[in-house]
PDB file of all heavy atoms in Angstrom:
ATOM      1  N   SER A 927     111.268  56.077  46.173  1.00  0.00           N
ATOM      2  CA  SER A 927     111.732  55.248  47.282  1.00  0.00           C
ATOM      3  C   SER A 927     112.246  53.904  46.775  1.00  0.00           C
ATOM      4  O   SER A 927     113.281  53.395  47.230  1.00  0.00           O
ATOM      5  CB  SER A 927     110.593  55.035  48.284  1.00  0.00           C
ATOM      6  OG  SER A 927     111.018  54.224  49.363  1.00  0.00           O
ATOM      7  N   GLU A 928     111.521  53.345  45.786  1.00  0.00           N
ATOM      8  CA  GLU A 928     111.952  52.080  45.168  1.00  0.00           C
ATOM      9  C   GLU A 928     113.284  52.271  44.440  1.00  0.00           C
ATOM     10  O   GLU A 928     114.187  51.436  44.542  1.00  0.00           O
ATOM     11  CB  GLU A 928     110.887  51.602  44.185  1.00  0.00           C
ATOM     12  CG  GLU A 928     111.230  50.276  43.511  1.00  0.00           C
ATOM     13  CD  GLU A 928     110.227  49.882  42.445  1.00  0.00           C
ATOM     14  OE1 GLU A 928     109.171  50.523  42.360  1.00  0.00           O
ATOM     15  OE2 GLU A 928     110.517  48.945  41.680  1.00  0.00           O
ATOM     16  N   SER A 929     113.405  53.389  43.716  1.00  0.00           N
ATOM     17  CA  SER A 929     114.656  53.682  43.008  1.00  0.00           C
ATOM     18  C   SER A 929     115.810  53.843  43.988  1.00  0.00           C
ATOM     19  O   SER A 929     116.924  53.363  43.745  1.00  0.00           O
ATOM     20  CB  SER A 929     114.507  54.966  42.181  1.00  0.00           C
ATOM     21  OG  SER A 929     113.535  54.817  41.186  1.00  0.00           O
ATOM     22  N   LEU A 930     115.541  54.506  45.105  1.00  0.00           N
ATOM     23  CA  LEU A 930     116.579  54.710  46.126  1.00  0.00           C
ATOM     24  C   LEU A 930     117.037  53.378  46.704  1.00  0.00           C
ATOM     25  O   LEU A 930     118.239  53.142  46.879  1.00  0.00           O
ATOM     26  CB  LEU A 930     116.040  55.620  47.238  1.00  0.00           C
ATOM     27  CG  LEU A 930     117.013  55.955  48.386  1.00  0.00           C
ATOM     28  CD1 LEU A 930     118.247  56.675  47.855  1.00  0.00           C
ATOM     29  CD2 LEU A 930     116.323  56.817  49.443  1.00  0.00           C
ATOM     30  N   ASN A 931     116.088  52.484  46.976  1.00  0.00           N
ATOM     31  CA  ASN A 931     116.446  51.152  47.486  1.00  0.00           C
ATOM     32  C   ASN A 931     117.300  50.379  46.485  1.00  0.00           C
ATOM     33  O   ASN A 931     118.280  49.720  46.856  1.00  0.00           O
ATOM     34  CB  ASN A 931     115.182  50.349  47.813  1.00  0.00           C
ATOM     35  CG  ASN A 931     114.483  50.826  49.071  1.00  0.00           C
ATOM     36  OD1 ASN A 931     115.130  51.404  49.946  1.00  0.00           O
ATOM     37  ND2 ASN A 931     113.194  50.626  49.158  1.00  0.00           N
ATOM     38  N   ASN A 932     116.923  50.465  45.203  1.00  0.00           N
ATOM     39  CA  ASN A 932     117.699  49.775  44.151  1.00  0.00           C
ATOM     40  C   ASN A 932     119.124  50.310  44.080  1.00  0.00           C
ATOM     41  O   ASN A 932     120.081  49.538  43.934  1.00  0.00           O
ATOM     42  CB  ASN A 932     117.017  49.943  42.795  1.00  0.00           C
ATOM     43  CG  ASN A 932     115.713  49.182  42.693  1.00  0.00           C
ATOM     44  OD1 ASN A 932     115.495  48.230  43.435  1.00  0.00           O
ATOM     45  ND2 ASN A 932     114.848  49.585  41.784  1.00  0.00           N
ATOM     46  N   MET A 933     119.258  51.618  44.170  1.00  0.00           N
ATOM     47  CA  MET A 933     120.581  52.237  44.106  1.00  0.00           C
ATOM     48  C   MET A 933     121.425  51.879  45.324  1.00  0.00           C
ATOM     49  O   MET A 933     122.629  51.623  45.227  1.00  0.00           O
ATOM     50  CB  MET A 933     120.441  53.756  43.980  1.00  0.00           C
ATOM     51  CG  MET A 933     119.934  54.194  42.612  1.00  0.00           C
ATOM     52  SD  MET A 933     119.292  55.892  42.563  1.00  0.00           S
ATOM     53  CE  MET A 933     120.795  56.830  42.868  1.00  0.00           C
ATOM     54  N   GLN A 934     120.791  51.833  46.497  1.00  0.00           N
ATOM     55  CA  GLN A 934     121.512  51.460  47.715  1.00  0.00           C
ATOM     56  C   GLN A 934     121.943  49.996  47.665  1.00  0.00           C
ATOM     57  O   GLN A 934     123.050  49.652  48.094  1.00  0.00           O
ATOM     58  CB  GLN A 934     120.630  51.719  48.946  1.00  0.00           C
ATOM     59  CG  GLN A 934     120.500  53.196  49.267  1.00  0.00           C
ATOM     60  CD  GLN A 934     119.498  53.469  50.373  1.00  0.00           C
ATOM     61  OE1 GLN A 934     118.509  52.757  50.531  1.00  0.00           O
ATOM     62  NE2 GLN A 934     119.738  54.505  51.150  1.00  0.00           N
ATOM     63  N   ASN A 935     121.068  49.127  47.128  1.00  0.00           N
ATOM     64  CA  ASN A 935     121.430  47.714  46.968  1.00  0.00           C
ATOM     65  C   ASN A 935     122.611  47.560  46.018  1.00  0.00           C
ATOM     66  O   ASN A 935     123.506  46.744  46.239  1.00  0.00           O
ATOM     67  CB  ASN A 935     120.233  46.917  46.443  1.00  0.00           C
ATOM     68  CG  ASN A 935     119.145  46.737  47.477  1.00  0.00           C
ATOM     69  OD1 ASN A 935     119.422  46.804  48.685  1.00  0.00           O
ATOM     70  ND2 ASN A 935     117.923  46.523  47.039  1.00  0.00           N
ATOM     71  N   GLU A 936     122.586  48.365  44.947  1.00  0.00           N
ATOM     72  CA  GLU A 936     123.687  48.309  43.988  1.00  0.00           C
ATOM     73  C   GLU A 936     124.994  48.747  44.635  1.00  0.00           C
ATOM     74  O   GLU A 936     126.038  48.148  44.414  1.00  0.00           O
ATOM     75  CB  GLU A 936     123.374  49.209  42.790  1.00  0.00           C
ATOM     76  CG  GLU A 936     124.432  49.138  41.704  1.00  0.00           C
ATOM     77  CD  GLU A 936     124.148  50.089  40.559  1.00  0.00           C
ATOM     78  OE1 GLU A 936     122.966  50.318  40.268  1.00  0.00           O
ATOM     79  OE2 GLU A 936     125.109  50.585  39.974  1.00  0.00           O
ATOM     80  N   MET A 937     124.908  49.796  45.447  1.00  0.00           N
ATOM     81  CA  MET A 937     126.103  50.272  46.155  1.00  0.00           C
ATOM     82  C   MET A 937     126.642  49.197  47.089  1.00  0.00           C
ATOM     83  O   MET A 937     127.849  48.965  47.156  1.00  0.00           O
ATOM     84  CB  MET A 937     125.758  51.538  46.948  1.00  0.00           C
ATOM     85  CG  MET A 937     126.914  52.071  47.793  1.00  0.00           C
ATOM     86  SD  MET A 937     128.305  52.676  46.813  1.00  0.00           S
ATOM     87  CE  MET A 937     127.799  54.377  46.580  1.00  0.00           C
ATOM     88  N   ASN A 938     125.739  48.512  47.810  1.00  0.00           N
ATOM     89  CA  ASN A 938     126.152  47.439  48.716  1.00  0.00           C
ATOM     90  C   ASN A 938     126.795  46.277  47.960  1.00  0.00           C
ATOM     91  O   ASN A 938     127.777  45.686  48.411  1.00  0.00           O
ATOM     92  CB  ASN A 938     124.955  46.936  49.525  1.00  0.00           C
ATOM     93  CG  ASN A 938     124.435  47.975  50.494  1.00  0.00           C
ATOM     94  OD1 ASN A 938     125.191  48.854  50.921  1.00  0.00           O
ATOM     95  ND2 ASN A 938     123.169  47.911  50.846  1.00  0.00           N
TER      96      ASN A 938
END
Side-chain angles (χ1 to χ4, degrees):
S927 180
E928 181 185 350
S929 297
L930 181 60
N931 287 335
N932 291 338
M933 288 163 66
Q934 286 173 328
N935 288 336
E936 184 183 327
M937 177 66 89
N938 293 334

